[in-house]
Amino acid sequence: MNIHFHLDYNTYYGQDLILNVIKGYHNGEKETTEYRMHTTDGYHWEVNMQKDVRPGTHMDYFYTVQCGDNTERKEWSVVTHRLEFDAEHAHNYSVYDHWHDIPEDSFLYSSAITDSVMGKKLGKCKTNIYNKAITLKVRAPQLNAEDKLYVAGAELALGAWNVTKALPMTQHNINEWSVALDVTKLTGNTLEVKFFMKGNSDIPVWESGNNRIITLPLMEEGDVTVYELDEAFFPLPPVRIAGTLVPLFSLRSETSFGIGDFGDLKKMIDWVSLTKQRALQILPINDTTITHTWTDSYPYSCISIFALHPQYVDLTALPTLKDAKARERFEKTRKELNALPQIDYERVNFSKIEYLHLLFEQEGEKVLKSNAFKTFFKETEHWLVPYAQYSYLRDKYGTADFSLWPDHHQWDETTRKALSDPKNKAYKDVAFFYYVQFILSSQLKAVHEYAQAHNVILKGDIPIGVNRYGCDVWTEPRYFNLNGQAGAPPDDFSVNGQNWGFPTYNWEEMLKDGCQWWIKRFQNMAQYFDAYRIDHVLGFFRIWEIPINSVHGLLGQFSPSLGMSREEIEGYGLQWQEALFTEPFITDWVLDRIFKEHANEVRENYIEHTWGDHYKMRPAYDTQRKVEKAFEDKTSEKDIWIRDGLYALISDVLFVRDRKNPNLFHPRISVQHDFIYESLYDSDKAIFNRLYNDYYYRRNNQFWYQEAMKKLPKLVDATRMLVCAEDLGMVPSCVAWVMNELRILSLEIQSMPKDPHVRFGHLGANPYRSVSTISTHDMATLRQWWDEDWPRTQDYFNTMLHREGPAPHPLPGWLARDIVSRHLTSPSMLCILGIQDWMSIDEDLRLPDPNAERINIPANPKHYWRYRMHVSIEALMKNDAFNSQITDLVHLSGR
C-alpha cells in the first residue's frame, strides 16, 4: 500500500516536520516510527510511505517539529490522527491533514466528558467497496452519546440537501466522525457539503458557518483521498456540571468500618446520580502510613504516589473469615467504630490491617496464583516491589526514617529479582503488601467503572508533595532536595506561612528524563479517575522553599527564582547593610515589645549582647528547630509565649540569602509586619516597598512562565483526564497565562477573589474554564465563614446578595440555598460544592454545630483529619425533601 501524507505548516530554515506513526505503548509511553517529511517552500510538507495493511485496520499518528535532533514543538497528541484502512480495493491513500494545537474545547475530548458524562462509544467504519473514494473526517466534540452526525450536500449522492437522504457518519475516533463517498457518483470538480446532527428529537441541527467547498483531485481506480476537515461547531449550550466534594474517609454508610471506603464510594455515586449531579470529587487516597498513629491521617503526606491506603478497603466485598469467633469480634468492633461521630484513625487502621492479615492467611496463596494478580503484578512491579519492601522494613524496624535502619538505607535494584520470585523468602516477607495493593486497586477500578456507568465523573486529587521519609524518596532520592521544606507563604490561612515538611523537587534531575516520575504518576491515576485536581499548581512554577532548620514559613524563598544582587538592591536607592539586613534584628525595644515581663529572662538565657542595645541569638537557640527542640517538653502558657517569641526573633530579617548563591538575596516575605521594617526610615520603607513589589509581582513572571512550560505540558498530555488546578494564594500573573494556554480549569472562590481590587468575586465573571466552589477542605465551611467575621458577612449580604437590613446569624437554610443557587448559576464549567455546604440548605439535616463540619485547619500542621458525615448515605438516599431541593437547584441552574 502506498500512503502519501500532506500537511501545510509554516517553518523556518533548519526546521523539519516529522510524521510519528504509533506502533504501540510501553510503560504508558508511545512507541513510534518516525518519517521525515520534505518540502520545497517551507509550507507544503509531504511524505510517502509504503506499508502492508489489512482492510479493517487503522493507523494512529501525530506530527512534530524538529530542529536538528531536538523536538521543538509537538502536536496536541492526547487525541491523535487516525487513518482507517476501510477500502477493499485501495492501492493508494492520499491524506490531507491539519496540524492540531490544543483546542479551546479540549475538555470535550477528556475522558470526563466522553466516557463519563456522555458515555460515548466508538463505532467501526463500514467497508468501503468503491473503486475510487473520498473519505471526509471531521471532529464534532459537542455531540452526546445518542447524537448522530450526517453530511449533506448539493450532489445527489449527498441527498441534494434533503436531510432525509443525507449520509450518516461513523464516530471512528474520539469525537471524530468519518464517511466514505463514491467518487464515480460525484459530478463536478468541487464538493459543497455541510454537517448536521440529530438527537433523540430527530430535529436536525446544522453546524455554524458557511457551506464547505472541497476541490476534488484527479483520481484513478484504487485511489482513496482522505480530507481531515476543520472541527464542526453547533449552536448548543456549553457543558456545565454540578458535583459534590467529600473526602473518602468522611463517608458514612451502615456497613462501613468506622471510615469511608471504596464500597461507600459506590453508594455516594448513587446519591450524586440520584440528585442529577455529574461529578464526585475526593481528596488524595494514597498510603500515608509513617507512624501507624493518628498523625498519619494527613492525606496530602503520601509515602507512595502509586500505593493506595489500606484503610479504604471494602471488607464487605472480600471473602468472609472462616473463623466464626473472629467474625463476631470484628463485627462488634465495626459497629463500635461506625457509631463514633468522628474517625478513630488508629483503631480503624489496626483493625483493618489485622483483618487483612487473617484474610491473607486464608486466601492469599490462591489470590497470588491467580491470573488477575499476575497481570496486576506485571503492570505495577516497577513501583509495587520497592513499596512492599519499604513497608516491610518500616514495620520491622519500627520507624519510617530509613536513615535509622541498620541496612537498606536506599532502595537496591539488585534485590528486585528475589522480591519478585514467589519461591524466595524475600518475596514471602513482602507478599502481604502485594496482596493488599491488588485488592485495593481492583476495588477502585470497579468504582471507576461504576461511576462511568452512572455518568458520574470521579475526580481525584494529586498532592504537590510527598513525605520525606516515604517510599518515593527512599527509591529515587535524586528527584528530591532534602535540605529544604516545601510550604506556602503567609496567606489568609496562616500569618507565619505554611510549612508542610515535604522535600522540594529537584526539577533539573526530573527534566533529564522528561518528567517520567510525574507522567507515570498521572497515568497510574487515570486507571481510577476521569478528572483530577492539581494541588498547589503554583509549585510547578515555583515552590516556597523553607530552610530545613525553620519551623515557620517566613524565612522561605521561591525556588527557583531570580535573587537580587547587592548592586541591584542599591540601584533602588537602599544602602546595603548586610549584617543588619540578613541577621535577626534584636534590640532592647524589640525584646520589651515581644516578651514584655519576660524580656529579662530571654536576655539572660537565649541571646547574647553584641553592641549598643543589639543582640544575637545564642548558638544553642539560633534556629527555630533548635528552639523547638528545647521547648518540646514545655507546655505552660509562659513557655509557649517565649518559644513563639523566639521564633519571631529569628525570622525578623529584611532579606533572606539565596539558598544556592550566597551573593544573591530575596526580600523576606511579609516583613512589613516586623520590627526590622519598622526600624527603617520612611524614605527607606518606600524604597523597600517598591523593590518588594517588583520582586514578588513582576521580576520573575517570564522566568516562572518558562519554568512551568517545561513541566506542565508533559503532564497535561500524559492522559485524557480533565485537568483542574488549585491556583489560590500569592498568584503571579504568569499562572493565568499557562493555565489558559494549556486549557487547565482554574479554581474560583467568591470569598478569595483573584482580582485584588474587589473584596468578593463576582460569580458572573467566573471564566467558563473554571471550577466554582464555596469552600475547600482547607477552609471554613459556608456556615462557619458566615459567623467568623460579622462586618465582612454584612458587607457580603448587602453587596453580593443585594439584600437590605442586618444579616441574620446563624446562617438560615433559605439564605444558604440562595448562595448555593448563585454559585450553580455561574458560568463555570464545574460547580463542585462540599457536602457540608450542600447540607447547609436544610436546617433539619445539617449538624447543629457548624464547627464540627471543619475538615482541616492549615495553620496547624498536626491537625487530626477525622471529619465524618453525621448521616449515612443510605439515610441520605431516603431523604426525599433534601434530594428534591438539590435536584431542583441543579435543574434550575441549567447544569
Side-chain angles (χ1 to χ4, degrees), residues 187 207 227 386 536 699:
T187 59
E207 66 170 324
Y227 289 107
H536 194 67
R699 177 184 181 87

Side-chain angles (χ1 to χ4, degrees), residues 860-873:
N860 177 12
K862 301 289 187 183
H863 181 77
Y864 192 170
W865 297 63
R866 60 190 314 198
Y867 165 73
R868 287 194 84 192
M869 289 168 52
H870 61 288
V871 294
S872 70
I873 303 171

Side-chain angles (χ1 to χ4, degrees), residues 197-440:
M197 55 161 285
K198 283 185 181 180
N200 290 331
S201 66
D202 211 36
I203 299 173
V205 178
W206 292 88
E207 66 170 324
S208 302
N210 297 324
N211 295 349
R212 300 170 186 251
I213 307 296
I214 301 167
T215 302
L216 300 179
L218 292 174
M219 297 177 64
E220 299 178 356
E221 287 200 6
D223 286 353
V224 177
T225 301
V226 181
Y227 289 107
E228 187 180 73
L229 304 179
D230 291 333
E231 183 176 293
F233 179 81
F234 296 90
L236 300 172
V239 176
R240 291 166 63 250
I241 293 164
T244 293
L245 164 65
V246 60
L248 177 52
F249 57 75
S250 298
L251 297 180
R252 180 191 296 272
S253 77
E254 293 172 3
T255 60
S256 52
F257 208 106
I259 194 170
D261 59 39
F262 291 144
D264 297 334
L265 200 51
K266 281 187 177 181
K267 296 174 183 177
M268 195 63 183
I269 288 167
D270 288 336
W271 178 77
V272 167
S273 179
L274 174 71
T275 52
K276 306 307 178 186
Q277 300 177 68
R278 287 290 174 261
L280 177 58
Q281 179 178 337
I282 59 176
L283 300 192
I285 52 176
N286 296 96
D287 192 356
T288 59
T289 308
I290 288 288
T291 64
H292 292 289
T293 67
W294 67 265
T295 58
D296 297 341
S297 66
Y298 182 22
Y300 288 87
S301 183
C302 67
I303 63 167
S304 169
I305 58 173
F306 301 107
L308 301 171
H309 203 306
Q311 69 183 4
Y312 297 124
V313 65
D314 176 12
L315 298 180
T316 66
L318 299 176
T320 57
L321 293 176
K322 294 177 181 177
D323 185 331
K325 289 185 178 179
R327 285 202 310 271
E328 291 175 10
R329 176 167 60 88
F330 279 108
E331 178 60 15
K332 180 182 178 183
T333 301
R334 187 195 70 79
K335 288 180 177 178
E336 290 174 2
L337 293 171
N338 218 28
L340 296 176
Q342 294 180 306
I343 299 165
D344 186 333
Y345 183 91
E346 291 171 18
R347 280 192 70 197
V348 163
N349 277 274
F350 283 133
S351 297
K352 282 200 165 185
I353 290 297
E354 182 189 358
Y355 190 104
L356 288 169
H357 271 291
L358 293 174
L359 197 61
F360 177 65
E361 293 173 10
Q362 178 182 302
E363 307 284 339
E365 185 177 353
K366 180 176 65 176
V367 170
L368 297 184
K369 288 180 179 178
S370 68
N371 290 331
F373 174 79
K374 290 175 182 177
T375 300
F376 168 76
F377 189 83
K378 184 178 180 181
E379 292 172 348
T380 62
E381 66 171 313
H382 68 282
W383 67 263
L384 181 62
V385 174
Y387 162 79
Q389 189 188 37
Y390 163 89
S391 300
Y392 169 75
L393 294 170
R394 173 202 60 206
D395 295 348
K396 178 180 179 181
Y397 297 125
T399 178
D401 186 349
F402 38 83
S403 68
L404 301 178
W405 295 349
D407 48 25
H408 298 93
H409 298 305
Q410 184 179 332
W411 162 251
D412 182 356
E413 184 63 30
T414 63
T415 63
R416 182 181 294 275
K417 185 176 180 181
L419 291 161
S420 304
D421 183 357
K423 298 176 183 176
N424 200 294
K425 180 183 181 300
Y427 178 96
K428 294 172 182 174
D429 286 341
V430 302
F432 170 73
F433 299 101
Y434 296 159
Y435 169 77
V436 171
Q437 287 302 313
F438 169 66
I439 288 172
L440 291 166

Side-chain angles (χ1 to χ4, degrees), residues 784-849:
Q784 282 184 299
W785 180 87
W786 191 262
D787 287 334
E788 277 180 347
D789 184 335
W790 283 36
R792 178 188 62 189
T793 300
Q794 187 64 50
D795 187 11
Y796 179 80
F797 184 74
N798 298 140
T799 63
M800 292 290 105
L801 302 183
H802 307 291
R803 295 181 181 275
E804 297 180 353
H809 291 276
L811 178 67
W814 62 267
L815 191 52
R817 179 188 168 105
D818 181 31
I819 295 169
V820 166
S821 176
R822 289 168 187 264
H823 281 77
L824 287 168
T825 54
S826 74
S828 298
M829 178 184 172
L830 300 182
C831 180
I832 299 182
L833 306 181
I835 188 64
Q836 307 97 312
D837 291 339
W838 277 120
M839 290 183 178
S840 69
I841 70 176
D842 190 322
E843 294 184 27
D844 294 327
L845 176 63
R846 66 192 194 185
L847 274 170
D849 179 13

Side-chain angles (χ1 to χ4, degrees), residues 320-589:
T320 57
L321 293 176
K322 294 177 181 177
D323 185 331
K325 289 185 178 179
R327 285 202 310 271
E328 291 175 10
R329 176 167 60 88
F330 279 108
E331 178 60 15
K332 180 182 178 183
T333 301
R334 187 195 70 79
K335 288 180 177 178
E336 290 174 2
L337 293 171
N338 218 28
L340 296 176
Q342 294 180 306
I343 299 165
D344 186 333
Y345 183 91
E346 291 171 18
R347 280 192 70 197
V348 163
N349 277 274
F350 283 133
S351 297
K352 282 200 165 185
I353 290 297
E354 182 189 358
Y355 190 104
L356 288 169
H357 271 291
L358 293 174
L359 197 61
F360 177 65
E361 293 173 10
Q362 178 182 302
E363 307 284 339
E365 185 177 353
K366 180 176 65 176
V367 170
L368 297 184
K369 288 180 179 178
S370 68
N371 290 331
F373 174 79
K374 290 175 182 177
T375 300
F376 168 76
F377 189 83
K378 184 178 180 181
E379 292 172 348
T380 62
E381 66 171 313
H382 68 282
W383 67 263
L384 181 62
V385 174
Y387 162 79
Q389 189 188 37
Y390 163 89
S391 300
Y392 169 75
L393 294 170
R394 173 202 60 206
D395 295 348
K396 178 180 179 181
Y397 297 125
T399 178
D401 186 349
F402 38 83
S403 68
L404 301 178
W405 295 349
D407 48 25
H408 298 93
H409 298 305
Q410 184 179 332
W411 162 251
D412 182 356
E413 184 63 30
T414 63
T415 63
R416 182 181 294 275
K417 185 176 180 181
L419 291 161
S420 304
D421 183 357
K423 298 176 183 176
N424 200 294
K425 180 183 181 300
Y427 178 96
K428 294 172 182 174
D429 286 341
V430 302
F432 170 73
F433 299 101
Y434 296 159
Y435 169 77
V436 171
Q437 287 302 313
F438 169 66
I439 288 172
L440 291 166
S441 179
S442 301
Q443 290 188 352
L444 186 52
K445 283 179 181 176
V447 173
H448 182 211
E449 292 172 2
Y450 191 81
Q452 288 186 338
H454 285 73
N455 301 114
V456 171
I457 301 168
L458 196 57
K459 182 182 177 187
D461 196 330
I462 295 186
I464 188 61
V466 299
N467 194 290
R468 67 176 49 247
Y469 300 118
C471 180
D472 297 302
V473 179
W474 180 68
T475 306
E476 299 181 286
R478 69 186 186 280
Y479 287 147
F480 303 94
N481 296 316
L482 296 174
N483 60 350
Q485 306 170 95
D491 55 21
D492 292 343
F493 299 135
S494 176
V495 294
N496 290 318
Q498 297 177 48
N499 184 351
W500 305 324
F502 307 141
T504 56
Y505 293 115
N506 181 353
W507 283 110
E508 293 86 352
E509 196 66 31
M510 286 184 159
L511 287 165
K512 286 180 183 178
D513 62 11
C515 295
Q516 284 301 304
W517 187 84
W518 283 97
I519 288 172
K520 290 175 182 175
R521 181 180 191 180
F522 280 56
Q523 289 174 342
N524 179 73
M525 196 172 184
Q527 299 179 92
Y528 311 122
F529 300 98
D530 287 310
Y532 63 91
R533 166 191 180 270
I534 303 177
D535 170 46
H536 194 67
V537 74
L538 303 181
F540 291 93
F541 296 76
R542 78 294 184 273
I543 197 73
W544 188 247
E545 188 169 56
I546 303 161
I548 197 68
N549 56 21
S550 289
V551 174
H552 291 160
L554 293 175
L555 291 174
Q557 59 188 260
F558 285 124
S559 178
S561 61
L562 304 173
M564 306 182 76
S565 66
R566 299 176 179 85
E567 293 76 15
E568 284 182 284
I569 293 169
E570 289 184 336
Y572 279 87
L574 188 66
Q575 184 177 352
W576 180 253
Q577 302 176 66
E578 186 163 322
L580 180 63
F581 289 170
T582 63
E583 298 296 329
F585 181 72
I586 309 173
T587 65
D588 282 324
W589 65 270

Side-chain angles (χ1 to χ4, degrees), residues 505-689:
Y505 293 115
N506 181 353
W507 283 110
E508 293 86 352
E509 196 66 31
M510 286 184 159
L511 287 165
K512 286 180 183 178
D513 62 11
C515 295
Q516 284 301 304
W517 187 84
W518 283 97
I519 288 172
K520 290 175 182 175
R521 181 180 191 180
F522 280 56
Q523 289 174 342
N524 179 73
M525 196 172 184
Q527 299 179 92
Y528 311 122
F529 300 98
D530 287 310
Y532 63 91
R533 166 191 180 270
I534 303 177
D535 170 46
H536 194 67
V537 74
L538 303 181
F540 291 93
F541 296 76
R542 78 294 184 273
I543 197 73
W544 188 247
E545 188 169 56
I546 303 161
I548 197 68
N549 56 21
S550 289
V551 174
H552 291 160
L554 293 175
L555 291 174
Q557 59 188 260
F558 285 124
S559 178
S561 61
L562 304 173
M564 306 182 76
S565 66
R566 299 176 179 85
E567 293 76 15
E568 284 182 284
I569 293 169
E570 289 184 336
Y572 279 87
L574 188 66
Q575 184 177 352
W576 180 253
Q577 302 176 66
E578 186 163 322
L580 180 63
F581 289 170
T582 63
E583 298 296 329
F585 181 72
I586 309 173
T587 65
D588 282 324
W589 65 270
V590 169
L591 294 170
D592 291 338
R593 290 264 293 274
I594 293 179
F595 299 101
K596 297 182 170 52
E597 68 270 20
H598 306 301
N600 283 333
E601 182 179 343
V602 171
R603 290 185 183 95
E604 292 171 6
N605 297 314
Y606 302 106
I607 61 177
E608 55 188 47
H609 183 258
T610 54
W611 60 275
D613 68 342
H614 286 253
Y615 301 82
K616 67 177 182 179
M617 301 299 298
R618 293 190 178 185
Y621 306 102
D622 61 1
T623 71
Q624 291 182 340
R625 288 294 177 200
K626 289 180 181 178
V627 171
E628 180 185 52
K629 182 70 174 174
F631 282 79
E632 64 182 349
D633 296 323
K634 299 177 180 179
T635 57
S636 70
E637 185 176 336
K638 171 193 162 185
D639 288 329
I640 299 301
W641 178 284
I642 292 176
R643 183 201 66 185
D644 290 349
L646 294 176
Y647 286 164
L649 279 185
I650 292 167
S651 62
D652 193 4
V653 298
L654 199 64
F655 287 90
V656 174
R657 198 180 298 272
D658 187 85
R659 70 179 184 87
K660 289 186 175 179
N661 186 340
N663 295 316
L664 297 178
F665 304 89
H666 308 262
R668 208 219 76 191
I669 193 78
S670 298
V671 73
Q672 290 88 342
H673 303 295
D674 273 10
F675 299 109
I676 179 65
Y677 177 83
E678 185 180 334
S679 72
L680 298 177
Y681 292 116
D682 287 346
S683 58
D684 285 342
K685 287 178 182 176
I687 292 170
F688 179 82
N689 288 340

Side-chain angles (χ1 to χ4, degrees), residues 41-111:
D41 59 6
Y43 178 65
H44 301 285
W45 290 84
E46 54 189 89
V47 66
N48 204 55
M49 178 195 306
Q50 298 294 325
K51 188 177 179 67
D52 292 329
V53 300
R54 289 181 293 105
T57 61
H58 66 261
M59 182 174 75
D60 291 339
Y61 58 95
F62 60 93
Y63 296 98
T64 54
V65 178
Q66 283 190 0
C67 188
D69 294 329
N70 299 318
T71 298
E72 288 193 341
R73 196 156 183 262
K74 187 172 112 171
E75 257 194 315
W76 184 61
S77 60
V78 172
V79 178
T80 57
H81 301 268
R82 174 164 291 179
L83 175 60
E84 299 280 356
F85 300 112
D86 56 354
E88 270 191 3
H89 308 298
H91 304 299
N92 301 290
Y93 277 83
S94 293
V95 182
Y96 292 86
D97 281 329
H98 288 87
W99 175 278
H100 290 301
D101 281 320
I102 182 170
E104 283 290 330
D105 56 4
S106 61
F107 54 88
L108 291 176
Y109 294 83
S110 69
S111 62

